[in-house]
Structures are given as C-alpha cells and as structure tokens.
Amino acid sequence: MTPVLTVRNLRKTFTLHTIDGRTVVSLDGVNLDVAAGEHVAIAGPNGAGKSSMLRCIHRTYLPDSGSIVLHRADGPVELTELPDRAMAGLRGRDICYVSQFLEAPPRAGALEVVAEAARRRGLAADVAREAAAASLRRLGLEEALWDVDCGVLSGGERQRINLAAGTVRPPRLLLLDEPVSALDPENRERALNLVQSLTTEGVAVLAVFHDLEAIRRLATRVLRLDGGQITAEGTADEVLGASPEGGSPEAASLEGASFEAVGVTS
C-alpha cells in the first residue's frame, strides 16, 4: 500500500505563561502511517492532542520535534523543515485545512470562495467556477445564496461552503476539524457521503469528528490517542466496542470524546 502521510516521533508541548509557566504535553512521540485507500480514525478524549496533531501537520503549530512527511508524486516532503513560503504553496495546492468555522474575505460570496480554492489547485477560471457550482450543489447550498456575503449566512451554510472549498478539485491531503458539527441530519448525510467518496480521488483525509457513527462508517482502522500517545489500534469494533448500544467498557470510556478520522486514497 502506498503511503500518503507518515508521522514519526511527533512531540508538541505548550507553556502556560499565565499559569506559573507550567508545561503541558500535547503530543508525546506519536507515530502514524496512513496508506492509500485507507480510512483510519484516531479516537481519544478531549485534550488528547487530536486537534494539535492536525495543526502540526498544517504547520499552524510548529512541533517541538519529530517528522511529518507528505508523500508526493515527485518524492517525499518533510513538512517540519519546509521554508514558510514553500509551505504556503503546499497549502494552496496539496494540503487544505477545513475547520468548523469559515474564514472568508469580506463581502465574498460562496461561489467566489469555492472557485478561488479551485483556482489555487490549478483550474482555469471558467472551469473553476463550474467545479465550484458542482461542489455547492452536491452539498445542498441553494443557488440563491451563492452571491450572498458569507458573513451573513447561517453556521450550517458557512460550514458547507467551507467543506466545498476544501474538496473542490481535492488536494492530496485534506484536514477536517469537526466539519459537520453545525449540520442538520440531511446535510450531515450529504457531507459524510462526500468525505466517503474521496477514496476514489487520491485524497488523504485526516479529520476530527465527535460521533461514533461517523467513525464506524468511514474507518477501516482505528487508533486511540491518550496522553499524547497512541495506546491502541484495531478495527472500530475492537477499539470502540462492538456497538454504541453494546455498553462495553471501552465504548463507555470514549463516550463524549472527540475523534479524528483519516481517509486516504490514491
């Protein structure tokens, strides 16, 4: 199986300057391999370091030490050593981070935001607009809202625009942080179908979700992150318990926790 993302001995700490300068360990020697065609979920309680891992990969956070390698067609790239300008270029083409909150330019409409993302990934302007329209339709955003300032739209509408921008002409690595948290059941289903479909498009997806059903649906392998370390690995049933209703000790211990799902394809 062809690797897309390789993480080795990743460490990240935070210093709490306002609380006697104490140090908090977020990631403590994390190792992770994600191969093409996999959906891997990283599960763990709040504060386990899941979002910190996303941000270290995106280079929003600089890790204290360790290796993060993106495997591209022209060879592996060590993200922790990349100059800022080169990293910015990768963010436009190869890596996309989609949080639960849309960050859009003032007075920009949905079609403009998504088309700009497609242009950054190499599409010509007219093709980019067509691709943006298709992405917005797939996620059920009404066409009457496409030219409305994103700042006045609802949280669920903005979240769908954000996901459309992240998946239009999908990048090689897609980082999702609670991408369906504000969606109603119908639109949540559309979004999960979209994420699931990326397996045929050569996309690696690393995402934080808060519900077990999404992990069971998307993941072929689950890793448990606790205390900044990977402590368990297996199928969803092995790590999460036989079923949400099964009442197993492991399932109970994960109740209310947040989870990271990784889908990788080529």
Side-chain angles (χ1 to χ4, degrees):
M1 298 175 71
T2 304
V4 173
L5 179 68
T6 301
V7 177
R8 288 287 179 272
N9 202 29
L10 188 64
R11 299 179 185 275
K12 177 62 182 175
T13 59
F14 295 93
T15 301
L16 306 181
H17 296 286
T18 60
I19 309 177
D20 65 31
R22 72 184 65 171
T23 298
V24 175
V25 177
S26 180
L27 300 170
D28 187 16
V30 170
N31 297 311
L32 174 66
D33 291 290
V34 186
E38 280 192 299
H39 281 271
V40 180
I42 302 180
N46 293 330
K50 301 180 301 299
S51 291
S52 293
M53 182 183 293
L54 290 184
R55 291 166 184 159
C56 284
I57 294 168
H58 190 247
R59 271 268 294 275
T60 308
Y61 292 164
L62 284 173
D64 296 351
S65 61
S67 171
I68 303 170
V69 176
L70 176 68
H71 298 274
R72 303 178 65 199
D74 57 355
V77 179
E78 174 56 66
L79 300 183
T80 64
E81 299 175 354
L82 212 58
D84 289 345
R85 179 171 294 184
M87 187 68 204
L90 276 184
R91 288 192 187 115
R93 299 186 311 272
D94 297 285
I95 301 175
C96 181
Y97 176 79
V98 178
S99 73
Q100 57 184 311
F101 304 111
L102 173 68
E103 295 183 5
R107 295 176 295 282
L111 186 63
E112 178 183 349
V113 168
V114 180
E116 174 57 29
R119 286 193 293 272
R120 288 198 302 270
R121 294 180 197 131
L123 293 184
D126 55 342
V127 179
R129 286 182 66 85
E130 292 174 3
S135 293
L136 292 169
R137 290 191 186 99
R138 184 170 186 179
L139 287 167
L141 192 75
E142 297 178 14
E143 191 165 348
L145 299 177
W146 291 2
D147 62 351
V148 175
D149 181 354
C150 291
V152 304
L153 299 179
S154 72
E157 289 162 347
R158 290 166 60 86
Q159 199 163 65
R160 281 181 281 162
I161 295 166
N162 215 13
L163 187 56
T167 56
V168 64
R169 182 72 181 271
R172 186 160 183 77
L173 178 61
L174 180 63
L175 308 174
L176 302 176
D177 196 347
E178 299 181 39
V180 298
S181 61
L183 301 186
D184 59 66
E186 181 179 358
N187 286 311
R188 175 185 177 277
E189 182 67 16
R190 288 191 178 105
L192 291 180
N193 283 338
L194 173 59
V195 173
Q196 195 168 25
S197 74
L198 296 174
T199 57
T200 63
E201 299 186 46
V203 181
V205 181
L206 175 60
V208 174
F209 287 101
H210 274 288
D211 66 86
L212 298 176
E213 190 277 331
I215 293 180
R216 293 179 185 280
R217 174 171 170 176
L218 296 173
T220 56
R221 181 162 52 97
V222 178
L223 309 178
R224 178 176 172 83
L225 184 64
D226 198 4
Q229 297 180 326
I230 301 295
T231 60
E233 177 178 355
T235 66
D237 283 352
E238 290 168 343
V239 176
L240 305 180
S243 71
E245 299 79 25
S248 72
E250 184 67 14
S253 72
L254 292 173
E255 194 170 326
S258 53
F259 304 91
E260 295 176 347
V262 182
V264 183
T265 59
S266 73

